[in-house]
Amino acid sequence: MKVSHNWLTKLVDINSTPEDLSEKLSIGGFEVDSLHDCSKNVNGVVLGKVLTVVKHNDSEKLSICHVDIGKNKNLQIICGAKNVKANVYVYVATVGAYLNAINLTIKKSEIRGVLSEGMICSLHELGLEDSSEGIAIVDDNIANKHELGTPGANLLDLNDFIYDLAITANRPDGMSVVGISREISALLETNLHFPKIYHNYKIKKIENIELCSDAINSNCLYTITPIDGVNGIEPSPSWIKDRIEKSGINSINLLVDLTNYILLEQGQPLHAFDKDKLSDLIGKEALPEHFSVRKARDNESLVCLDGKKYILNSNITIIACCDIPVAIAGVIGGLETSVNDKTSSIYLEGAVFNPVSIRKSSKEMGIRTESSSRFEKGISHKNTIDSVTRAINLIEEFFGKKNVIINTSNELEKQETLIKLRRDRIHKILGPILVDKDKSIYNNCLEKRNLSDREIEDKLELIGCNLIIKDYGWDVNVIPNRSQDLIREIDLIEEISRLIGYDRFDLNLPNPIKPGKLSPSQLALRKLKNGFTENGFNEVLSYSLVPEENNDLIKIANPLLLETSCLRDNIWQEHIRIINQNIKFGQKSCWIFEVGNIFYNNSDYVEEEILNGGIYGKSKFEQWVGSEKENDLNYYEARGKLKEALSNLNIKIEDKPNDSYDFLHPGKTSKLFIEGKEAGFFGEIHPKLLVEKKALRKLYLFSLKVSNILDASTRKNKWIPIYKKYPLVPKIERDINFIFSKKYLINEIINQIKKAGKNLLEDVNLIDVFEDESLGNEFISYTFRLSYRDSQKTLLDADITLLHNNIISIIEKKYKTKLR
């Protein structure tokens, strides 16, 4: 939002310099991105009068001019402009002036042997026009009001500063000069001088108007006002033109400029339709009840004010007249019904639309305007009638008295919304302020006290609030242009503290201060990540927004781009892309992991935190030089890397073969179970993805639910280490070998051995796997090592023989096998 300092001074008393005011506004919440001195480009440029013009002897195009710049000082200036002549007033850049537009510092110089002591300037050279034909000649009526030598900034109305404000979404009042003026008044504690609005017009409700509920809800309003007897060729007065152009809006004609002026002054976008053009478009006289607000139909089109033809769809809200599109609601008007030099009657539209619908239309069309930016932030419908009335007041000022009826979509109720503000709540939230008791220069004479009622009332009245005194404090009525952000009691308390000054309040730390600490789950998550990084993995962070690839994804209501229109339901796809990118860059290995959220669109939306990762290649720290030929890990090596990374959490993960994942190898994939609950998967990438080039090399993917990991690792018997006495007696080990059908899982067999081994069986480990054609394709040989120990004595063979034979017998019966 750009605004002129001179315009602000018409609305509010300013008792500080522009630089100091910029600082105060930034501290107060209206950050000033830049402060532009309009006179900077014309410093050293003064009003002069050409006395004589003589042709240069050595050049047909150059002239020797003698120019009077006042104070009995005449300058000799060489000029090449065709329109220079005697007895005209001109802008003279004196020696030392810097013309920023052409990057030139004026110096005394000789041109073809003749001294030149300055430069007669064009508007282009002063930075006021893109191009100019000849020098700028000042109108005699303007020049005669000033003495020769008067700074050019005075004649050009450039003794001004422009504030470029970054207005945040929670302060839509900052999108108007009135709102900024009120903020300045509150910060400087000075008086306001707002223009008076004369409510001389009848307000009538339009019956049976068609309004889209998405665009016009209970907090919105649509008005349309016919105004006759105007003239589209009428130019804007200099003061309107100056104010809107300094705010970054080009002047077109008086009618259009007035709508833009109200947009800037009041923060309320308005649009003027040519009434006669509307009537020609619909084939009959256009009436207020012919207007409607609706969603566009697919493949409807509209040529807009920027000259472009837009193909519309159902995401775009339009204004229609007799169902024919004439404007994009809140964004841009249509060219066919726009105001031009021949306009004699208009329909003035003033409305407040739902910010969401305007945002959708703006992004769907790819354009953002001054109007749409205000609607998107949200403006109050309570200010619309005042803004329309102010516009009509100005139209009457230039075109004479009008018999006007403002037609509205609904009757406005003058209902005040009061916010309860409690005195004790203010004191509890803000605490005491520090007051200098004797105005001493020393900082040891401060006393603490709570804010007085008068201080609270003064600050709220400065921002336009009306207060009704109650026993508990006040009931506060907020003005319309602050009703969007001052909604709750805490909002008013924040305003009080902001205007008093945050630095004036005493510091209050909790007593006693309790140190914070991480919970077991937070510590476990930290250990989880450390375990991966310590084992050679790199942590990555991928974007949770993805393109719409299927109907199962959760769609974002208002996406910025189609590529980020849905919430992801997996992370492995992004991890494949990351690994592919590393492969393309020549990396021989890539081990990555990520802890992130995925989203499911079931009967209800579900958000789940998972650990996901990918493993490709052997780490370079594990290879001998020149061993790159055997770069791929096999299934067991890759699964071992995951086991090592999770080893510091002391959790047991059980693998069960599975072929239900269409992106993983059906014979080299397992579901992972923690404490008997399904927790995720581990597997090799499916060969079809390699063929389709979606994965460039063989890699392994894994995924685990973080909640399962944290629940298992933070159980008391796992989280708190339990130390056992070191065994003082030796153990006895026995190896057993069986041929099993491949359908049996190793974990299942080991669990069966442990179950049969009772108290003396200390541990069971698989020590050998053997496959051979002689065993058959469906069979495999496993060798297990069984460890026996009694904590009280040294075992003898006789002590374990019966138990060992019983284990063998159980295994033989259970799995229909024989001891080898």
Side-chain angles (χ1 to χ4, degrees), residues 11 20 86 88 96 118 132 138 204 250 267-268 321 362 369 372 494 506 517 587 692 810:
L11 302 180
D20 289 342
V88 296
S132 299
V138 184
K204 175 185 175 184
N250 294 327
Q268 170 66 61
C321 187
S362 179
T369 60
S372 68
E494 182 186 2
D506 187 29
K517 64 178 182 179
Q587 295 297 319
E692 295 169 357
I810 291 173

Side-chain angles (χ1 to χ4, degrees), residues 271 273 292 294 302-304 312 316-321 324-335 337 349:
H271 182 69
F273 296 100
S292 63
R294 65 171 173 85
L302 180 67
V303 179
C304 293
L312 311 179
I316 298 171
T317 306
I318 64 165
I319 307 299
C321 187
I324 300 173
V326 293
I328 307 300
V331 180
I332 190 171
L335 185 62
T337 56
E349 176 197 73

